[in-house]
């Protein structure tokens, strides 16, 4: 209870209704906690990242999981918890540090040889190289560029813009002629990517040798947009995008059936027809930022068969069923709104050649796309299904969906789950908001924006804290923070409001005035409270 002296300066009870400020639900907080748990593991410990493909070649590789975690974390910070700069900065720094680990990018030495799967005219393997970003491999370099550019945009931090900030050390223990360092920074990485885009007539940069995929080229485009704004330029929108749009159309990558081509083969100069919809949905979750009208106009055609709508529920179908469904509608004129079409597609699905030994990442791509497009009913149906049939698990306060190699359970429910969707993709869908990437494309944070408002540092995810609210309300001149611990302990936690200016601040805990503080000479206000598993509302309000 505040003293009588304090009560004369501020109301004993907070007049601001904290409940009007949205807060993370238990599942959203659980996904962020799982992200932290994964990247806080000791270097070399990749528990829960394990994939069916041990060579890091398929869509569930560690680089993709880390990148999607970073994008989900960035979206959660930008849209939901914008005042929590310190906690989110440390979390994203861990993700980028893991992305730079040799285990994540060393696959490229083998992949750089090339292969007949994506280059059928190949007669002999190429001479390999270890530098993971100098040529091709946009499936790593593009994600790394966006992760570091997103970090710079969100936190106005030049750490990865400094010389040598992105250095790859190639030092196999028992073979080779000695260690090599491949030295880059954000700008040099962007320059390497731009050079290849131009060399490839702006259709994009190769992922694997000879193969340009639409999805992997979305990430460097967004990164370059953030870098443009940071540098006061407009090269992406005025120069790159017009050429890229034209190239997508000219090279046939947009696909006649609505799905983006599997890839564009550079040597053969042709687009390979789509074999699934996972990459299209995954691409749309990010392409929507700069090409929203096209993405929205294509939605019905692209989701046909992958998302079915019967008995007032939207359900996700595996690729083999979806492709059979699409064929039945296109070639036999079956009704897509008749459930017997789905039954027939299931019967015929065993005849569909998926071309790859692994099931495609439908859970990741389609939930992320639905989140971005604001398809709330459809997304909620899929998430409800996931919580019912995909075995959600909680470990150390973190939520994920465990790997399951089966396609169906004994009752015929689609239950396949791989670690990219289970660790990071479904979490992204929950943490993103409608038009999330589009808003960040159009209004990235600038230095001026960040300098105009107070923010929070101090205790973070690394201190066992889960954050449910973290927002500065400029009109009320109030910092609103809601926290709890994921574990059953009660310990003190210190939060520091920075950039507060010279002012007096009333600190309320669960609606009651606790104390009044003057901000320090450098504009900081320190708040220490005991935090346990119960939600704790802390409001720091300027006295005017």
């Amino acid at each position: 209870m505040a003293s009588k002296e304090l009560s004369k300066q501020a109301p004993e009870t907070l007049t601001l209704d904290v409940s009007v400020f949205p807060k993370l639900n238990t599942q959203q907080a659980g996904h962020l906690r799982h992200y932290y748990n994964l990247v806080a593991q000791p270097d070399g410990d990749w528990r829960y990242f394990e994939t069916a493909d041990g060579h890091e070649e398929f869509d569930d590789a560690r680089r993709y999981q880390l990148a999607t975690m970073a994008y989900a974390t960035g979206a959660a910070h930008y849209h939901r918890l914008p005042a929590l700069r310190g906690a989110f900065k440390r979390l994203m720094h861990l993700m980028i540090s893991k992305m730079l680990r040799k285990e994540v990018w060393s696959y490229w030495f083998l992949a750089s040889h090339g292969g007949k799967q994506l280059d059928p005219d190949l007669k002999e393997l190429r001479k390999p190289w270890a530098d993971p970003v100098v040529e091709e491999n946009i499936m790593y370099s593009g994600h790394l560029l966006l992760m570091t550019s997103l970090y710079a945009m969100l936190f106005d931090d030049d750490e990865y813009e400094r010389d040598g900030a992105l250095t790859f050390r190639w030092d196999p223990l028992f073979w080779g002629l000695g260690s090599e360092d491949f030295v880059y920074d954000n700008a040099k990485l962007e320059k390497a990517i731009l050079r290849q885009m131009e060399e490839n007539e702006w259709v994009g940069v190769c992922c694997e040798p000879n193969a340009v995929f639409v999805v992997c080229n979305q990430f460097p485009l967004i990164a370059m947009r953030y870098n443009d704004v940071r540098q006061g330029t407009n090269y992406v929108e005025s120069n790159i995008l017009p050429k890229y749009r034209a190239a997508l159309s000219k090279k046939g990558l947009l696909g006649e059936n609505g799905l983006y081509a599997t890839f564009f083969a550079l040597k053969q100069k042709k687009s390979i027809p789509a074999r699934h919809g996972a990459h299209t949905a995954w691409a749309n979750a990010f392409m929507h930022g700069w090409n929203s009208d096209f993405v929205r106009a294509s939605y019905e055609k692209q989701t046909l068969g992958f998302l079915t709508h019967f008995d007032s529920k939207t359900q996700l179908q595996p690729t083999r069923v979806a492709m059979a469904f699409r064929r039945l509608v296109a070639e036999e004129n079956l009704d897509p709104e008749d459930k017997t079409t789905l039954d027939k597609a299931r019967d015929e699905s065993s005849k569909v050649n998926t071309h790859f030994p692994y099931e495609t990442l439908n859970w990741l791509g389609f939930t992320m796309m639905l989140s971005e497009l604001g398809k709330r009913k459809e997304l909620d149906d899929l998430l409800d299904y996931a919580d019912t049939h995909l075995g959600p698990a909680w470990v150390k306060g973190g939520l994920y969906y465990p790997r399951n190699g089966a396609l169906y359970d004994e009752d015929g429910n689609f239950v396949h789950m791989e670690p990219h969707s289970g660790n990071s993709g479904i979490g992204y869908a929950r943490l993103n908001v409608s038009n999330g990437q589009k808003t960040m494309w159009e209004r990235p944070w600038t230095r001026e924006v960040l300098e105009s408002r107070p923010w929070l540092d101090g205790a973070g995810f690394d201190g066992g804290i889960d954050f449910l609210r973290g927002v500065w309300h400029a009109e009320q001149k109030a910092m609103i923070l809601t926290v709890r611990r994921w574990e059953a302990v009660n310990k003190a936690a210190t939060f520091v409001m920075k950039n507060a200016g010279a002012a007096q601040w009333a600190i309320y805990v669960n609606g009651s005035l606790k104390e009044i503080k003057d901000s320090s000479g450098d504009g900081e206000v320190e708040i220490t409270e005991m935090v346990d598993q119960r939600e704790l509302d802390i409001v720091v309000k300027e006295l005017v």
Side-chain angles (χ1 to χ4, degrees), residues 377-504:
K377 166 65 167 59
E378 294 86 344
L379 178 60
D380 285 346
D381 283 351
L382 264 56
L383 294 178
D384 288 346
Y385 182 99
D387 289 338
T388 303
H389 299 291
L390 300 184
W394 291 83
V395 177
K396 293 183 177 179
L399 171 63
Y400 76 108
Y401 295 83
R403 177 177 164 185
N404 186 349
L407 189 63
Y408 295 107
D409 65 14
E410 58 185 16
D411 297 320
N413 298 304
F414 176 35
V415 294
H416 183 269
M417 178 53 57
E418 34 61 42
H420 191 182
S421 299
N423 282 336
S424 54
I426 295 177
Y428 177 100
R430 278 204 171 101
L431 290 164
N432 189 39
V433 301
S434 177
N435 292 312
Q437 289 297 324
K438 179 178 172 61
T439 300
M440 292 169 74
W441 175 283
E442 294 175 345
R443 296 192 297 277
W445 287 345
T446 63
R447 179 173 292 110
E448 292 71 28
V449 166
L450 292 171
E451 289 178 347
S452 70
R453 62 197 188 200
W455 55 278
L456 288 164
D457 203 353
F461 298 102
D462 46 351
I465 302 294
D466 283 344
F467 298 92
L468 308 184
R469 292 188 183 94
V471 61
W472 167 252
H473 194 288
E475 188 174 313
Q476 290 283 341
K477 296 186 181 300
M479 180 69 73
I480 298 97
L481 174 67
T482 300
V483 295
R484 68 181 181 205
R485 291 191 181 277
W486 68 266
E487 56 186 339
V489 296
N490 186 22
K491 295 192 296 187
T494 297
F495 309 97
V496 182
M497 186 169 75
K498 296 190 173 185
N499 199 34
Q504 266 198 328

Side-chain angles (χ1 to χ4, degrees), residues 58 66 71 85 132 143 173 241 367 378 395 407 526 534:
F58 197 55
L66 289 166
Y71 308 150
R85 183 171 170 182
H143 284 292
L173 199 57
L241 284 183
T367 58
E378 294 86 344
V395 177
L407 189 63
E526 188 175 288
R534 295 168 295 183

Side-chain angles (χ1 to χ4, degrees), residues 128-318:
W129 65 92
D131 184 333
V133 300
V134 68
E135 196 75 24
E136 304 173 332
N137 200 21
I138 197 70
M139 59 189 175
Y140 174 78
S141 62
H143 284 292
L144 180 61
L145 184 67
L146 180 51
M147 291 170 77
T148 57
S149 301
L150 181 62
Y151 183 91
M153 181 272 281
L154 290 174
F155 310 118
D156 184 28
D157 193 296
D158 67 353
E159 177 174 357
Y160 300 106
E161 298 168 344
R162 302 170 195 160
D163 289 344
L166 303 175
T167 295
F168 307 94
R169 169 152 290 192
W170 178 246
D171 57 353
L173 199 57
F174 295 122
W175 61 277
L177 299 176
S179 64
E180 298 177 81
D181 285 346
F182 310 116
V183 181
Y184 293 85
D185 54 44
N186 184 278
K188 290 177 182 176
L189 181 58
E190 179 176 310
K191 184 177 180 180
I193 291 170
L194 272 174
R195 168 182 54 79
Q196 294 173 81
M197 290 188 75
E198 186 169 10
E199 290 172 354
N200 294 343
E201 298 178 331
W202 299 102
V203 72
V205 180
C206 287
C207 289
E208 291 83 8
N210 196 51
V212 177
F213 290 79
V214 173
V215 59
C216 290
N217 281 276
Q218 300 312 303
F219 307 102
L221 290 174
I222 298 171
M224 293 175 195
R225 163 65 178 163
Y226 294 159
N227 293 338
D228 262 352
V229 172
R230 189 163 169 78
Q231 297 157 11
T233 56
N234 192 33
Y235 189 68
V236 170
E237 292 192 319
S238 65
N239 192 303
I240 297 176
L241 284 183
K243 297 173 183 176
Y244 181 62
R245 287 176 189 268
L248 286 178
S249 180
K250 180 180 179 181
K251 306 294 187 183
L253 277 164
L254 299 181
E256 294 182 2
N257 64 352
L259 302 177
Y260 305 145
T262 298
F263 63 89
F264 180 76
L266 281 179
K267 285 185 184 177
Q268 293 77 17
K269 300 185 184 300
K270 67 177 182 179
S271 288
I272 308 304
R275 297 167 181 161
H276 59 74
H279 279 188
T280 296
W282 188 7
N284 282 345
F286 294 87
M287 184 189 289
H288 184 257
W290 62 269
N291 202 17
S292 56
D293 289 345
F294 176 83
V295 169
R296 288 185 178 276
S298 306
Y299 174 81
E300 296 295 339
K301 183 187 289 189
Q302 290 175 342
T303 58
L304 177 68
F306 295 97
L307 299 178
T308 56
H309 314 278
F310 300 111
D311 303 323
S312 300
K313 287 288 185 181
T314 296
Q315 277 194 291
L316 182 67
Q317 303 297 334

Side-chain angles (χ1 to χ4, degrees), residues 78-126:
Y78 182 101
H79 295 291
R80 298 183 183 275
L81 304 163
L84 292 170
R85 183 171 170 182
F88 277 96
K89 182 178 180 180
R90 293 195 296 276
L91 179 55
M92 286 195 66
H93 195 277
L94 285 173
M95 294 170 176
I96 295 171
S97 296
K98 292 295 186 186
M99 190 73 165
L100 293 171
R101 292 281 300 172
K102 187 172 61 178
E103 306 100 282
V104 175
W105 54 264
S106 60
Y107 70 89
W108 180 249
F109 184 80
L110 286 178
S112 66
H113 287 79
K116 294 185 74 69
Q117 174 79 269
L118 301 177
D119 186 0
D121 298 331
L122 193 67
K123 303 302 181 186
E124 62 181 33
L125 297 181
R126 309 184 308 181

